[in-house]
Amino acid sequence: MSAAPEPSPREAVQAAGLTRDYGSRRAVDGIDFTVQAGECFGFLGPNGAGKTTTVRMIHAFTPVTAGRLVVLGHDVSREARRVKALIGVCPQENNLDEDFTVRRNLLVYARYFEIPASVARERAAELLAFVDLAGEADRPIAALSGGMKRRLVLARALMNSPRLLVLDEPTSGLDPQARRQIWRRIEGLKRVGTTILLTTHYMEEASRLCDRLVIMDRGRIVATGTPADLIQRLAGEGSGTLEDVFLRLTGAAPAP
């Protein structure tokens, strides 16, 4: 197993030999990567590449089988509770509470972090404005469109003012207009220095949002770099897009 460097305030995530097994199946196969504080770091790959499993280990949802994983200076295997308190998570699924209104979803979530009620109300109002849902605060979840629900899940992930935001395929299944609305919110978070982990299989999303990224295939990292660097090094003669790199390394068709 490779050794991870000592935690540094400039490094939000450090993974060394990170492995996750499900019985005899190895979903993540001894990967190494570092995420710098303040950057948007992407995990790009086809379905089943290990992207979601990797980020679930980072936010202490899925146990680490082997290797070392340090998040915000804390060893995930020993300090999972502390890590969860410092991270905001936008999962793939819209796991909102259908029995609550838009605002109530945020206020109830705030209780898990012991945020005082007055602070939670103020923060909820700010975040609903940030994701353009202020006018929907008293509506039931069932009345929202798919894009609205994704924006609300993003707002919920920010309720605890996280030091690290995990976005697991945040625009999957959305129409192009709704997808771009989410992108604009993520770009706003980048401008204020939020550290972001993003999993995606959309080429345009990765190129537009990620400062650096890894391309994963079959549980392994097959390339690391900035989108421009990967294109320059790996796209091949006569090509020039991240999609070309993706096809060359994974053989999988990217999402449209």
Side-chain angles (χ1 to χ4, degrees):
M1 182 185 74
S2 49
E6 289 300 313
S8 164
R10 294 180 299 174
E11 296 172 336
V13 181
Q14 299 163 290
L18 185 61
T19 301
R20 174 61 188 175
D21 295 334
Y22 292 97
S24 61
R25 183 176 71 88
R26 178 150 291 182
V28 176
D29 192 6
I31 63 175
D32 304 284
F33 62 90
T34 300
V35 179
Q36 301 298 320
E39 74 175 335
C40 181
F41 188 91
F43 294 87
L44 180 64
N47 290 332
K51 308 183 303 295
T52 291
T53 300
T54 299
V55 298
R56 284 180 175 175
M57 286 190 282
I58 290 170
H59 65 77
F61 181 85
T62 297
V64 174
T65 299
R68 189 176 183 218
L69 179 60
V70 177
V71 176
L72 300 171
H74 300 278
D75 188 310
V76 171
S77 296
R78 295 181 301 181
E79 301 176 272
R81 187 180 182 90
R82 180 59 178 159
V83 169
K84 289 179 180 180
L86 297 172
I87 289 180
V89 180
C90 181
Q92 287 187 30
E93 65 277 4
N94 291 330
N95 56 350
L96 299 164
D97 195 318
E98 298 282 341
D99 294 328
F100 296 153
T101 63
V102 167
R103 181 190 290 109
R104 188 68 177 165
N105 263 273
L106 300 186
L107 297 179
V108 170
Y109 187 73
R111 293 178 183 173
Y112 295 116
F113 299 93
E114 299 181 348
I115 299 171
S118 60
V119 175
R121 287 193 296 271
E122 182 178 353
R123 193 170 296 167
E126 292 173 352
L127 289 171
L128 289 177
F130 174 67
V131 297
D132 289 341
L133 290 176
E136 316 297 331
D138 296 316
R139 296 185 71 186
I141 298 303
L144 302 183
S145 67
M148 288 177 175
K149 290 178 181 178
R150 292 309 287 162
R151 300 203 312 269
L152 181 58
V153 172
L154 174 60
R156 186 185 62 184
L158 294 167
M159 277 297 290
N160 62 320
S161 301
R163 290 175 55 191
L164 174 66
L165 178 63
V166 176
L167 304 176
D168 191 6
E169 300 194 12
T171 64
S172 182
L174 298 183
D175 62 68
Q177 180 179 0
R179 187 174 301 146
R180 282 167 173 75
Q181 287 180 314
I182 295 289
W183 290 352
R184 287 193 288 272
R185 301 301 169 270
I186 296 172
E187 287 168 337
L189 293 168
K190 287 182 61 178
R191 284 193 292 271
V192 297
T194 305
T195 305
I196 299 171
L197 291 184
L198 171 71
T199 77
T200 185
H201 53 275
Y202 292 115
M203 300 298 112
E204 184 181 359
E205 184 163 280
S207 295
R208 176 168 172 168
L209 298 176
C210 295
D211 300 303
R212 289 190 305 130
L213 58 85
V214 295
I215 297 177
M216 295 187 68
D217 189 36
R218 301 179 185 180
R220 297 182 177 180
I221 292 174
V222 295
T224 305
T226 68
D229 175 58
L230 291 172
I231 291 168
Q232 183 177 18
R233 289 190 291 116
L234 300 171
E237 186 177 353
S239 301
T241 67
L242 194 57
E243 181 175 341
D244 296 317
V245 176
F246 185 88
L247 287 169
R248 183 177 182 184
L249 294 177
T250 70

